[in-house]
Amino acid sequence: RSGDVDKAIELLMQVAHADMSNAYALANIAHCYKLKGIISKEIEYYQKALEAKADYITAIINLGTAYGRQDLWDREIELCQKALEVKSDLIVAKNNLAYAYMGKEDYERASALIQEILAADPYYIQAWVNLAFVYNAQGYHDQAVECCTTVTKIDPNCIEAWNNMGFAYKNKDDAQQAIECYNRTVGINEKYAIGWSNLAFIYKEK
């Protein structure tokens, strides 16, 4: 798999060297570096893509996400806001902005953005998952369970929803319900380490 990515980078580099204004080639190089796990190069080439095309929304959002993976929340916030200046109703930009505010533990701003997203698209699963996280962080565990239940009705295999629901039940001192939720996570993906860790913690404390 990495060999295929290396070949893709080689070919895309040829395009970029021939025309450094080709933002799409530069962004694809960035994406290849993301697949290789080289975040410094990913950021470098998304920046180059934006130098070539300043309003290239995909590059703006993906660069913000790269910063977010490094917990550089202020940089992600700045880029999400830039994306929204280009396209004000872009849900993915609002969702990423909400996630960045969550990273800064600014739950009021995160919640307000998530509510905007859900008003526009009540089936936007990641927004419900994020809202559940926010409610759990604020100690509103009943509301978190409601959000997660909404998600599991739309997508019964959403691991994040089951995990968030388990966390909510754990904090409601309902160990059995928490165990059932965490069991669902590892049932969906037996390699989901967070689920196994949460189960171990519940049994240890039970």
Side-chain angles (χ1 to χ4, degrees):
R1 176 63 178 171
S2 61
D4 293 341
V5 174
D6 288 336
K7 185 63 177 178
I9 291 173
E10 178 187 338
L11 295 169
L12 288 164
M13 284 292 190
Q14 291 182 30
V15 177
H17 288 154
D19 179 10
M20 283 303 292
S21 67
N22 191 321
Y24 304 103
L26 293 164
N28 275 311
I29 292 169
H31 181 67
C32 287
Y33 279 121
K34 177 185 178 183
L35 295 176
K36 287 173 66 67
I38 306 175
I39 195 167
S40 61
K41 286 290 187 181
E42 177 190 353
I43 287 172
E44 176 187 344
Y45 277 90
Y46 277 131
Q47 288 173 334
K48 288 181 177 181
L50 289 173
E51 288 171 9
K53 184 174 171 58
D55 62 350
Y56 187 11
I57 287 184
T58 300
I60 295 171
I61 290 171
N62 289 346
L63 179 57
T65 301
Y67 282 130
R69 297 202 309 275
Q70 295 185 310
D71 294 340
L72 298 173
W73 303 117
D74 287 331
R75 290 188 178 183
E76 182 169 19
I77 287 168
E78 180 183 345
L79 286 158
C80 288
Q81 290 171 337
K82 181 178 179 180
L84 289 168
E85 288 173 7
V86 177
K87 187 171 172 57
S88 62
D89 60 348
L90 190 64
I91 286 181
V92 67
K94 287 186 179 181
N95 185 68
N96 288 0
L97 182 56
Y99 191 81
Y101 281 129
M102 288 160 58
K104 288 172 64 71
E105 298 184 6
D106 188 343
Y107 298 123
E108 287 189 13
R109 285 186 179 177
S111 180
L113 279 164
I114 294 167
Q115 299 290 357
E116 282 184 31
I117 294 166
L118 291 174
D121 183 357
Y123 295 96
Y124 197 80
I125 286 177
Q126 194 58 49
W128 285 111
V129 169
N130 288 345
L131 187 57
F133 181 95
V134 167
Y135 280 141
N136 271 329
Q138 293 175 314
Y140 302 140
H141 303 301
D142 288 332
Q143 291 92 326
V145 169
E146 290 175 8
C147 289
C148 294
T149 300
T150 298
V151 174
T152 57
K153 287 178 180 177
I154 300 169
D155 179 6
N157 292 319
C158 181
I159 286 180
E160 289 177 282
W162 290 112
N163 189 63
N164 282 344
M165 197 186 305
F167 183 87
Y169 278 124
K170 176 177 74 70
N171 284 280
K172 283 163 57 69
D173 295 321
D174 190 336
Q176 190 54 47
Q177 286 283 6
I179 287 170
E180 289 182 18
C181 291
Y182 291 140
N183 273 328
R184 290 295 294 264
T185 68
V186 296
I188 294 166
N189 181 0
E190 63 181 13
K191 295 182 180 179
Y192 187 61
I194 293 172
W196 291 114
S197 296
N198 288 337
L199 276 170
F201 180 84
I202 287 284
Y203 279 112
K204 181 170 69 74
E205 298 295 320
K206 193 176 178 183

